[in-house]
């Protein structure tokens, strides 16, 4: 996926799918690591996380130094 990906509802939904797939395979991860691991602009990754949060598919946990995100069981 290109860093030049347009910021549209379709692209946010596509990145939300990438986030879901990543979390499904890797489990809980910091938001920073997630943004580095997904091949899309950071703001689109965060919007994708928001999409999944709105659909009640992820949970957030406060760590000592950072926040983590994981799929709901």
């Amino acid at each position: 996926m290109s860093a030049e990906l347009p910021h549209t509802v379709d692209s946010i939904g596509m990145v939300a799918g990438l986030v879901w797939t990543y979390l499904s395979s890797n489990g809980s991860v910091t938001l920073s690591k997630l943004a580095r691991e997904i091949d899309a602009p950071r703001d689109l990754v965060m919007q994708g996380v928001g999409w999944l949060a709105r659909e009640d598919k992820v949970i957030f946990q406060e760590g000592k130094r950072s926040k983590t995100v994981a799929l709901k069981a």
Side-chain angles (χ1 to χ4, degrees):
M1 189 172 300
S2 167
E4 301 298 318
L5 193 64
H7 289 62
T8 64
V9 172
D10 288 340
S11 62
I12 295 167
M14 183 175 15
V15 172
L18 294 174
V19 169
W20 190 93
T21 300
Y22 182 87
L23 293 174
S24 178
S25 296
N26 297 285
S28 181
V29 66
T30 65
L31 290 170
S32 296
K33 181 173 181 177
L34 182 64
R36 286 191 308 270
E37 294 289 319
I38 302 292
D39 185 23
R42 179 181 177 82
D43 57 334
L44 271 181
V45 173
M46 293 303 120
Q47 290 169 353
V49 169
W51 179 304
L52 294 172
R54 177 74 179 180
E55 291 186 344
D56 201 29
K57 302 223 184 267
V58 293
I59 57 170
F60 299 96
Q61 295 180 322
E62 282 290 333
K64 290 182 181 179
R65 298 172 40 116
S66 59
K67 189 174 284 193
T68 61
V69 62
L71 291 179
K72 278 194 166 182

